[in-house]
Amino acid sequence: MKLLVTGGAGYIGSHAVQRLVRDGHEVTVVDSLVTGHRAAVDPSATLHELDLRDTPALTELMLATQPDAVLHFAALSIVGESVQQPLRYWDNNVGGAISLLSAMAAGGVERLIFSSTCSTYGEPERMPIREDAPQAPINTYGRTKLAVEGLIQDHAAARPGFSYAMLRYFNVAGCDRSGRLGEDHRPETHLVPIVLQAAAGLRDGVAIFGTDYDTPDGTCVRDYLHVDDLVAAHVCALERLRPGRGDALNLGVGRGYSVRELLAVAKRVTGVDFPVTEAPRRSGDVPVLYADPSRALVRLGWAPECSDLETILSSAWRWHQAHPEGYA
Ligand code: UDP
């Protein structure tokens, strides 16, 4: 297939591009390189350095490349930053999606895979989270993603042949098991890369944000999914797009691990007893989040294969050791 991938230079997008290229697809990447890395883009893909909000340029590209489908990863995704800079997040995430759908409509492109998030659920009352749980995000990032979900549904309702999958990611972690790709955010806010930077001696240690939650060991519980498993779900979703049909699917493993549990595995995998301190809660953090992934398991015929914490951490550790400076 001919595929257009937005955000293909980012952490998840670059992993997806590599897999799609290896599967024999012809991949065009659109990335502003504001948070993405040129070096992360598979050399067999064609990179266009372009802001999604540049609708004329995006439309021209859509008409020139005539993709069979679009995978839309590009977004700003740091929760704390989103609360500080709401206009930037709404403009980039929602404005970018409006521009993308306009360009797709102009180019007659009717298939879309969208990167959504469990942040759209906010603080659910019941675990595990099913797709029909109320969506009540508690931060700007989650609200922009929920707005794009609504936008896609409205767009699809007006175009009978349109098909889409909105994939709601839980905590994506780990690195490409072939060792070429990694996770490099500036600044880094995610637990797994922070822990590995501490193990590598690049940080003084790890601060646990909150040890007084109503959870078994007092720390937050999350559902960690290996990025290779996440990408595999996208491949399945792409194969299953059908005209006039749309789906929203949770992507997680269906069980949660606490911050302390993850730290213990990280110490074992790296062999480093890095310092750990207890810090106050981080604002906006929900105590417990884990998916009920059964809809994705059934509808996609997909199942996680490498999302145990050992594999997540060892794959990321390998990349962090080989690239202490990230992609720089
Ligand atoms: N966390 C932590 N210390 C850090 C970074 C994260 O204790 O330096 C915790 C955070 O409070 C959350 C969990 O680790 O409970 C996962 O955080 P991350 O930012 O990786 O993902 P999120 O769940 O916020 O999307």
PDB file of all heavy atoms in Angstrom, residues 227-260:
ATOM      1  N   VAL A 227       6.179  -0.922  22.439  1.00  0.00           N
ATOM      2  CA  VAL A 227       5.903  -0.169  21.204  1.00  0.00           C
ATOM      3  C   VAL A 227       5.791  -1.100  19.989  1.00  0.00           C
ATOM      4  O   VAL A 227       5.013  -0.833  19.068  1.00  0.00           O
ATOM      5  CB  VAL A 227       6.967   0.952  21.012  1.00  0.00           C
ATOM      6  CG1 VAL A 227       8.355   0.373  20.768  1.00  0.00           C
ATOM      7  CG2 VAL A 227       6.575   1.919  19.909  1.00  0.00           C
ATOM      8  N   ASP A 228       6.549  -2.207  19.973  1.00  0.00           N
ATOM      9  CA  ASP A 228       6.440  -3.153  18.845  1.00  0.00           C
ATOM     10  C   ASP A 228       5.060  -3.810  18.818  1.00  0.00           C
ATOM     11  O   ASP A 228       4.494  -4.056  17.743  1.00  0.00           O
ATOM     12  CB  ASP A 228       7.527  -4.233  18.930  1.00  0.00           C
ATOM     13  CG  ASP A 228       8.927  -3.695  18.595  1.00  0.00           C
ATOM     14  OD1 ASP A 228       9.033  -2.588  18.042  1.00  0.00           O
ATOM     15  OD2 ASP A 228       9.912  -4.399  18.897  1.00  0.00           O
ATOM     16  N   ASP A 229       4.502  -4.098  20.003  1.00  0.00           N
ATOM     17  CA  ASP A 229       3.137  -4.647  20.061  1.00  0.00           C
ATOM     18  C   ASP A 229       2.116  -3.599  19.619  1.00  0.00           C
ATOM     19  O   ASP A 229       1.140  -3.909  18.922  1.00  0.00           O
ATOM     20  CB  ASP A 229       2.801  -5.109  21.490  1.00  0.00           C
ATOM     21  CG  ASP A 229       3.377  -6.490  21.810  1.00  0.00           C
ATOM     22  OD1 ASP A 229       3.585  -7.281  20.867  1.00  0.00           O
ATOM     23  OD2 ASP A 229       3.611  -6.773  23.005  1.00  0.00           O
ATOM     24  N   LEU A 230       2.348  -2.369  20.028  1.00  0.00           N
ATOM     25  CA  LEU A 230       1.443  -1.279  19.634  1.00  0.00           C
ATOM     26  C   LEU A 230       1.417  -1.150  18.107  1.00  0.00           C
ATOM     27  O   LEU A 230       0.350  -1.045  17.485  1.00  0.00           O
ATOM     28  CB  LEU A 230       1.901   0.039  20.265  1.00  0.00           C
ATOM     29  CG  LEU A 230       1.025   1.230  19.906  1.00  0.00           C
ATOM     30  CD1 LEU A 230      -0.131   1.348  20.878  1.00  0.00           C
ATOM     31  CD2 LEU A 230       1.824   2.526  19.877  1.00  0.00           C
ATOM     32  N   VAL A 231       2.604  -1.164  17.503  1.00  0.00           N
ATOM     33  CA  VAL A 231       2.699  -1.027  16.051  1.00  0.00           C
ATOM     34  C   VAL A 231       2.015  -2.213  15.362  1.00  0.00           C
ATOM     35  O   VAL A 231       1.311  -2.035  14.357  1.00  0.00           O
ATOM     36  CB  VAL A 231       4.182  -0.886  15.629  1.00  0.00           C
ATOM     37  CG1 VAL A 231       4.342  -1.074  14.134  1.00  0.00           C
ATOM     38  CG2 VAL A 231       4.738   0.475  16.076  1.00  0.00           C
ATOM     39  N   ALA A 232       2.188  -3.391  15.930  1.00  0.00           N
ATOM     40  CA  ALA A 232       1.532  -4.578  15.342  1.00  0.00           C
ATOM     41  C   ALA A 232       0.016  -4.388  15.319  1.00  0.00           C
ATOM     42  O   ALA A 232      -0.654  -4.789  14.353  1.00  0.00           O
ATOM     43  CB  ALA A 232       1.909  -5.826  16.141  1.00  0.00           C
ATOM     44  N   ALA A 233      -0.529  -3.758  16.359  1.00  0.00           N
ATOM     45  CA  ALA A 233      -1.978  -3.507  16.396  1.00  0.00           C
ATOM     46  C   ALA A 233      -2.373  -2.544  15.262  1.00  0.00           C
ATOM     47  O   ALA A 233      -3.456  -2.685  14.669  1.00  0.00           O
ATOM     48  CB  ALA A 233      -2.378  -2.932  17.747  1.00  0.00           C
ATOM     49  N   HIS A 234      -1.516  -1.583  14.946  1.00  0.00           N
ATOM     50  CA  HIS A 234      -1.814  -0.658  13.842  1.00  0.00           C
ATOM     51  C   HIS A 234      -1.866  -1.403  12.504  1.00  0.00           C
ATOM     52  O   HIS A 234      -2.701  -1.107  11.646  1.00  0.00           O
ATOM     53  CB  HIS A 234      -0.763   0.448  13.758  1.00  0.00           C
ATOM     54  CG  HIS A 234      -0.878   1.468  14.851  1.00  0.00           C
ATOM     55  ND1 HIS A 234      -0.659   1.165  16.157  1.00  0.00           N
ATOM     56  CD2 HIS A 234      -1.217   2.778  14.829  1.00  0.00           C
ATOM     57  CE1 HIS A 234      -0.852   2.246  16.900  1.00  0.00           C
ATOM     58  NE2 HIS A 234      -1.195   3.226  16.121  1.00  0.00           N
ATOM     59  N   VAL A 235      -0.941  -2.347  12.344  1.00  0.00           N
ATOM     60  CA  VAL A 235      -0.918  -3.119  11.101  1.00  0.00           C
ATOM     61  C   VAL A 235      -2.227  -3.902  10.960  1.00  0.00           C
ATOM     62  O   VAL A 235      -2.847  -3.916   9.890  1.00  0.00           O
ATOM     63  CB  VAL A 235       0.313  -4.063  11.085  1.00  0.00           C
ATOM     64  CG1 VAL A 235       0.246  -5.051   9.930  1.00  0.00           C
ATOM     65  CG2 VAL A 235       1.607  -3.241  11.032  1.00  0.00           C
ATOM     66  N   CYS A 236      -2.665  -4.521  12.052  1.00  0.00           N
ATOM     67  CA  CYS A 236      -3.941  -5.272  12.029  1.00  0.00           C
ATOM     68  C   CYS A 236      -5.113  -4.326  11.751  1.00  0.00           C
ATOM     69  O   CYS A 236      -6.025  -4.664  10.977  1.00  0.00           O
ATOM     70  CB  CYS A 236      -4.185  -5.970  13.357  1.00  0.00           C
ATOM     71  SG  CYS A 236      -2.960  -7.215  13.774  1.00  0.00           S
ATOM     72  N   ALA A 237      -5.100  -3.155  12.381  1.00  0.00           N
ATOM     73  CA  ALA A 237      -6.206  -2.201  12.204  1.00  0.00           C
ATOM     74  C   ALA A 237      -6.277  -1.726  10.753  1.00  0.00           C
ATOM     75  O   ALA A 237      -7.363  -1.583  10.176  1.00  0.00           O
ATOM     76  CB  ALA A 237      -6.031  -1.020  13.150  1.00  0.00           C
ATOM     77  N   LEU A 238      -5.129  -1.507  10.168  1.00  0.00           N
ATOM     78  CA  LEU A 238      -5.057  -1.055   8.778  1.00  0.00           C
ATOM     79  C   LEU A 238      -5.677  -2.088   7.837  1.00  0.00           C
ATOM     80  O   LEU A 238      -6.458  -1.765   6.939  1.00  0.00           O
ATOM     81  CB  LEU A 238      -3.571  -0.824   8.439  1.00  0.00           C
ATOM     82  CG  LEU A 238      -3.201  -0.126   7.161  1.00  0.00           C
ATOM     83  CD1 LEU A 238      -3.804   1.275   7.115  1.00  0.00           C
ATOM     84  CD2 LEU A 238      -1.670  -0.035   7.063  1.00  0.00           C
ATOM     85  N   GLU A 239      -5.344  -3.352   8.095  1.00  0.00           N
ATOM     86  CA  GLU A 239      -5.868  -4.436   7.239  1.00  0.00           C
ATOM     87  C   GLU A 239      -7.381  -4.575   7.374  1.00  0.00           C
ATOM     88  O   GLU A 239      -8.044  -5.081   6.481  1.00  0.00           O
ATOM     89  CB  GLU A 239      -5.215  -5.776   7.653  1.00  0.00           C
ATOM     90  CG  GLU A 239      -3.760  -5.892   7.219  1.00  0.00           C
ATOM     91  CD  GLU A 239      -3.032  -7.049   7.923  1.00  0.00           C
ATOM     92  OE1 GLU A 239      -3.652  -7.719   8.783  1.00  0.00           O
ATOM     93  OE2 GLU A 239      -1.844  -7.251   7.600  1.00  0.00           O
ATOM     94  N   ARG A 240      -7.916  -4.136   8.502  1.00  0.00           N
ATOM     95  CA  ARG A 240      -9.344  -4.360   8.770  1.00  0.00           C
ATOM     96  C   ARG A 240     -10.226  -3.151   8.500  1.00  0.00           C
ATOM     97  O   ARG A 240     -11.430  -3.192   8.787  1.00  0.00           O
ATOM     98  CB  ARG A 240      -9.525  -4.852  10.208  1.00  0.00           C
ATOM     99  CG  ARG A 240      -9.169  -6.329  10.344  1.00  0.00           C
ATOM    100  CD  ARG A 240      -8.970  -6.738  11.777  1.00  0.00           C
ATOM    101  NE  ARG A 240      -8.689  -8.171  11.882  1.00  0.00           N
ATOM    102  CZ  ARG A 240      -7.519  -8.738  11.569  1.00  0.00           C
ATOM    103  NH1 ARG A 240      -6.530  -7.997  11.104  1.00  0.00           N
ATOM    104  NH2 ARG A 240      -7.356 -10.057  11.709  1.00  0.00           N
ATOM    105  N   LEU A 241      -9.674  -2.065   7.994  1.00  0.00           N
ATOM    106  CA  LEU A 241     -10.509  -0.898   7.671  1.00  0.00           C
ATOM    107  C   LEU A 241     -11.494  -1.265   6.570  1.00  0.00           C
ATOM    108  O   LEU A 241     -11.103  -1.878   5.573  1.00  0.00           O
ATOM    109  CB  LEU A 241      -9.637   0.276   7.218  1.00  0.00           C
ATOM    110  CG  LEU A 241      -8.752   0.947   8.276  1.00  0.00           C
ATOM    111  CD1 LEU A 241      -7.883   2.030   7.631  1.00  0.00           C
ATOM    112  CD2 LEU A 241      -9.589   1.543   9.407  1.00  0.00           C
ATOM    113  N   ARG A 242     -12.753  -0.922   6.767  1.00  0.00           N
ATOM    114  CA  ARG A 242     -13.786  -1.210   5.760  1.00  0.00           C
ATOM    115  C   ARG A 242     -14.586   0.059   5.488  1.00  0.00           C
ATOM    116  O   ARG A 242     -14.941   0.767   6.447  1.00  0.00           O
ATOM    117  CB  ARG A 242     -14.745  -2.294   6.263  1.00  0.00           C
ATOM    118  CG  ARG A 242     -14.105  -3.655   6.479  1.00  0.00           C
ATOM    119  CD  ARG A 242     -13.757  -4.364   5.163  1.00  0.00           C
ATOM    120  NE  ARG A 242     -13.045  -5.608   5.423  1.00  0.00           N
ATOM    121  CZ  ARG A 242     -11.719  -5.742   5.496  1.00  0.00           C
ATOM    122  NH1 ARG A 242     -10.940  -4.683   5.338  1.00  0.00           N
ATOM    123  NH2 ARG A 242     -11.143  -6.914   5.721  1.00  0.00           N
ATOM    124  N   PRO A 243     -14.907   0.343   4.222  1.00  0.00           N
ATOM    125  CA  PRO A 243     -15.627   1.575   3.884  1.00  0.00           C
ATOM    126  C   PRO A 243     -16.875   1.755   4.743  1.00  0.00           C
ATOM    127  O   PRO A 243     -17.646   0.812   4.935  1.00  0.00           O
ATOM    128  CB  PRO A 243     -15.991   1.397   2.413  1.00  0.00           C
ATOM    129  CG  PRO A 243     -15.012   0.407   1.890  1.00  0.00           C
ATOM    130  CD  PRO A 243     -14.649  -0.488   3.049  1.00  0.00           C
ATOM    131  N   GLY A 244     -17.044   2.953   5.280  1.00  0.00           N
ATOM    132  CA  GLY A 244     -18.238   3.258   6.050  1.00  0.00           C
ATOM    133  C   GLY A 244     -18.184   2.776   7.491  1.00  0.00           C
ATOM    134  O   GLY A 244     -19.156   2.926   8.232  1.00  0.00           O
ATOM    135  N   ARG A 245     -17.054   2.190   7.894  1.00  0.00           N
ATOM    136  CA  ARG A 245     -16.962   1.644   9.258  1.00  0.00           C
ATOM    137  C   ARG A 245     -15.894   2.369  10.054  1.00  0.00           C
ATOM    138  O   ARG A 245     -14.861   2.767   9.523  1.00  0.00           O
ATOM    139  CB  ARG A 245     -16.610   0.146   9.210  1.00  0.00           C
ATOM    140  CG  ARG A 245     -17.565  -0.690   8.395  1.00  0.00           C
ATOM    141  CD  ARG A 245     -18.748  -1.184   9.213  1.00  0.00           C
ATOM    142  NE  ARG A 245     -18.295  -2.147  10.198  1.00  0.00           N
ATOM    143  CZ  ARG A 245     -18.139  -3.433   9.979  1.00  0.00           C
ATOM    144  NH1 ARG A 245     -18.411  -3.929   8.785  1.00  0.00           N
ATOM    145  NH2 ARG A 245     -17.739  -4.249  10.930  1.00  0.00           N
ATOM    146  N   GLY A 246     -16.158   2.535  11.352  1.00  0.00           N
ATOM    147  CA  GLY A 246     -15.181   3.152  12.244  1.00  0.00           C
ATOM    148  C   GLY A 246     -15.163   2.443  13.571  1.00  0.00           C
ATOM    149  O   GLY A 246     -16.164   1.846  13.980  1.00  0.00           O
ATOM    150  N   ASP A 247     -14.040   2.477  14.241  1.00  0.00           N
ATOM    151  CA  ASP A 247     -13.901   1.758  15.494  1.00  0.00           C
ATOM    152  C   ASP A 247     -13.017   2.542  16.450  1.00  0.00           C
ATOM    153  O   ASP A 247     -12.144   3.301  16.010  1.00  0.00           O
ATOM    154  CB  ASP A 247     -13.218   0.408  15.209  1.00  0.00           C
ATOM    155  CG  ASP A 247     -13.878  -0.730  15.957  1.00  0.00           C
ATOM    156  OD1 ASP A 247     -14.666  -0.460  16.876  1.00  0.00           O
ATOM    157  OD2 ASP A 247     -13.590  -1.892  15.612  1.00  0.00           O
ATOM    158  N   ALA A 248     -13.252   2.374  17.747  1.00  0.00           N
ATOM    159  CA  ALA A 248     -12.359   2.898  18.781  1.00  0.00           C
ATOM    160  C   ALA A 248     -11.906   1.713  19.617  1.00  0.00           C
ATOM    161  O   ALA A 248     -12.737   0.912  20.055  1.00  0.00           O
ATOM    162  CB  ALA A 248     -13.086   3.908  19.652  1.00  0.00           C
ATOM    163  N   LEU A 249     -10.615   1.576  19.798  1.00  0.00           N
ATOM    164  CA  LEU A 249     -10.078   0.385  20.453  1.00  0.00           C
ATOM    165  C   LEU A 249      -9.021   0.749  21.480  1.00  0.00           C
ATOM    166  O   LEU A 249      -8.111   1.536  21.190  1.00  0.00           O
ATOM    167  CB  LEU A 249      -9.421  -0.526  19.398  1.00  0.00           C
ATOM    168  CG  LEU A 249     -10.324  -1.038  18.283  1.00  0.00           C
ATOM    169  CD1 LEU A 249      -9.480  -1.619  17.157  1.00  0.00           C
ATOM    170  CD2 LEU A 249     -11.286  -2.075  18.819  1.00  0.00           C
ATOM    171  N   ASN A 250      -9.123   0.140  22.660  1.00  0.00           N
ATOM    172  CA  ASN A 250      -8.089   0.306  23.679  1.00  0.00           C
ATOM    173  C   ASN A 250      -6.892  -0.580  23.346  1.00  0.00           C
ATOM    174  O   ASN A 250      -7.058  -1.770  23.073  1.00  0.00           O
ATOM    175  CB  ASN A 250      -8.623  -0.156  25.042  1.00  0.00           C
ATOM    176  CG  ASN A 250      -9.601   0.825  25.640  1.00  0.00           C
ATOM    177  OD1 ASN A 250      -9.617   1.993  25.269  1.00  0.00           O
ATOM    178  ND2 ASN A 250     -10.414   0.350  26.570  1.00  0.00           N
ATOM    179  N   LEU A 251      -5.705  -0.016  23.446  1.00  0.00           N
ATOM    180  CA  LEU A 251      -4.496  -0.817  23.264  1.00  0.00           C
ATOM    181  C   LEU A 251      -3.674  -0.812  24.551  1.00  0.00           C
ATOM    182  O   LEU A 251      -3.034   0.187  24.904  1.00  0.00           O
ATOM    183  CB  LEU A 251      -3.666  -0.286  22.086  1.00  0.00           C
ATOM    184  CG  LEU A 251      -4.351  -0.361  20.722  1.00  0.00           C
ATOM    185  CD1 LEU A 251      -3.411   0.154  19.633  1.00  0.00           C
ATOM    186  CD2 LEU A 251      -4.787  -1.794  20.400  1.00  0.00           C
ATOM    187  N   GLY A 252      -3.723  -1.920  25.237  1.00  0.00           N
ATOM    188  CA  GLY A 252      -2.949  -2.124  26.454  1.00  0.00           C
ATOM    189  C   GLY A 252      -2.872  -3.624  26.671  1.00  0.00           C
ATOM    190  O   GLY A 252      -3.429  -4.399  25.885  1.00  0.00           O
ATOM    191  N   VAL A 253      -2.190  -4.050  27.739  1.00  0.00           N
ATOM    192  CA  VAL A 253      -2.104  -5.491  27.972  1.00  0.00           C
ATOM    193  C   VAL A 253      -3.224  -5.987  28.880  1.00  0.00           C
ATOM    194  O   VAL A 253      -3.486  -7.177  28.966  1.00  0.00           O
ATOM    195  CB  VAL A 253      -0.736  -5.921  28.563  1.00  0.00           C
ATOM    196  CG1 VAL A 253       0.384  -5.591  27.604  1.00  0.00           C
ATOM    197  CG2 VAL A 253      -0.481  -5.294  29.911  1.00  0.00           C
ATOM    198  N   GLY A 254      -3.850  -5.038  29.607  1.00  0.00           N
ATOM    199  CA  GLY A 254      -4.967  -5.441  30.452  1.00  0.00           C
ATOM    200  C   GLY A 254      -4.573  -5.718  31.893  1.00  0.00           C
ATOM    201  O   GLY A 254      -5.375  -6.250  32.653  1.00  0.00           O
ATOM    202  N   ARG A 255      -3.338  -5.345  32.248  1.00  0.00           N
ATOM    203  CA  ARG A 255      -3.016  -5.411  33.672  1.00  0.00           C
ATOM    204  C   ARG A 255      -2.065  -4.270  34.018  1.00  0.00           C
ATOM    205  O   ARG A 255      -1.340  -3.767  33.166  1.00  0.00           O
ATOM    206  CB  ARG A 255      -2.482  -6.771  34.100  1.00  0.00           C
ATOM    207  CG  ARG A 255      -1.036  -7.054  33.888  1.00  0.00           C
ATOM    208  CD  ARG A 255      -0.479  -8.056  34.927  1.00  0.00           C
ATOM    209  NE  ARG A 255      -0.015  -7.342  36.133  1.00  0.00           N
ATOM    210  CZ  ARG A 255       0.734  -7.893  37.086  1.00  0.00           C
ATOM    211  NH1 ARG A 255       1.092  -9.147  37.012  1.00  0.00           N
ATOM    212  NH2 ARG A 255       1.133  -7.180  38.139  1.00  0.00           N
ATOM    213  N   GLY A 256      -2.101  -3.876  35.281  1.00  0.00           N
ATOM    214  CA  GLY A 256      -1.313  -2.718  35.679  1.00  0.00           C
ATOM    215  C   GLY A 256      -0.123  -3.089  36.547  1.00  0.00           C
ATOM    216  O   GLY A 256      -0.141  -4.114  37.232  1.00  0.00           O
ATOM    217  N   TYR A 257       0.921  -2.258  36.474  1.00  0.00           N
ATOM    218  CA  TYR A 257       2.087  -2.399  37.342  1.00  0.00           C
ATOM    219  C   TYR A 257       2.323  -1.061  38.039  1.00  0.00           C
ATOM    220  O   TYR A 257       2.164  -0.002  37.421  1.00  0.00           O
ATOM    221  CB  TYR A 257       3.342  -2.754  36.533  1.00  0.00           C
ATOM    222  CG  TYR A 257       3.253  -4.109  35.882  1.00  0.00           C
ATOM    223  CD1 TYR A 257       2.719  -4.255  34.600  1.00  0.00           C
ATOM    224  CD2 TYR A 257       3.685  -5.252  36.561  1.00  0.00           C
ATOM    225  CE1 TYR A 257       2.611  -5.508  34.008  1.00  0.00           C
ATOM    226  CE2 TYR A 257       3.584  -6.503  35.972  1.00  0.00           C
ATOM    227  CZ  TYR A 257       3.051  -6.619  34.698  1.00  0.00           C
ATOM    228  OH  TYR A 257       2.947  -7.849  34.118  1.00  0.00           O
ATOM    229  N   SER A 258       2.721  -1.136  39.300  1.00  0.00           N
ATOM    230  CA  SER A 258       2.980   0.101  40.031  1.00  0.00           C
ATOM    231  C   SER A 258       4.350   0.650  39.666  1.00  0.00           C
ATOM    232  O   SER A 258       5.202  -0.065  39.098  1.00  0.00           O
ATOM    233  CB  SER A 258       2.919  -0.164  41.532  1.00  0.00           C
ATOM    234  OG  SER A 258       4.078  -0.863  41.944  1.00  0.00           O
ATOM    235  N   VAL A 259       4.559   1.921  40.015  1.00  0.00           N
ATOM    236  CA  VAL A 259       5.873   2.531  39.775  1.00  0.00           C
ATOM    237  C   VAL A 259       6.949   1.732  40.506  1.00  0.00           C
ATOM    238  O   VAL A 259       8.015   1.432  39.943  1.00  0.00           O
ATOM    239  CB  VAL A 259       5.878   4.006  40.238  1.00  0.00           C
ATOM    240  CG1 VAL A 259       7.272   4.609  40.089  1.00  0.00           C
ATOM    241  CG2 VAL A 259       4.856   4.828  39.447  1.00  0.00           C
ATOM    242  N   ARG A 260       6.664   1.346  41.739  1.00  0.00           N
ATOM    243  CA  ARG A 260       7.669   0.569  42.494  1.00  0.00           C
ATOM    244  C   ARG A 260       7.969  -0.773  41.831  1.00  0.00           C
ATOM    245  O   ARG A 260       9.123  -1.208  41.788  1.00  0.00           O
ATOM    246  CB  ARG A 260       7.182   0.322  43.925  1.00  0.00           C
ATOM    247  CG  ARG A 260       7.258   1.541  44.830  1.00  0.00           C
ATOM    248  CD  ARG A 260       7.146   1.074  46.302  1.00  0.00           C
ATOM    249  NE  ARG A 260       6.575   2.073  47.171  1.00  0.00           N
ATOM    250  CZ  ARG A 260       7.260   3.084  47.722  1.00  0.00           C
ATOM    251  NH1 ARG A 260       8.535   3.242  47.444  1.00  0.00           N
ATOM    252  NH2 ARG A 260       6.664   3.940  48.531  1.00  0.00           N
TER     253      ARG A 260
END
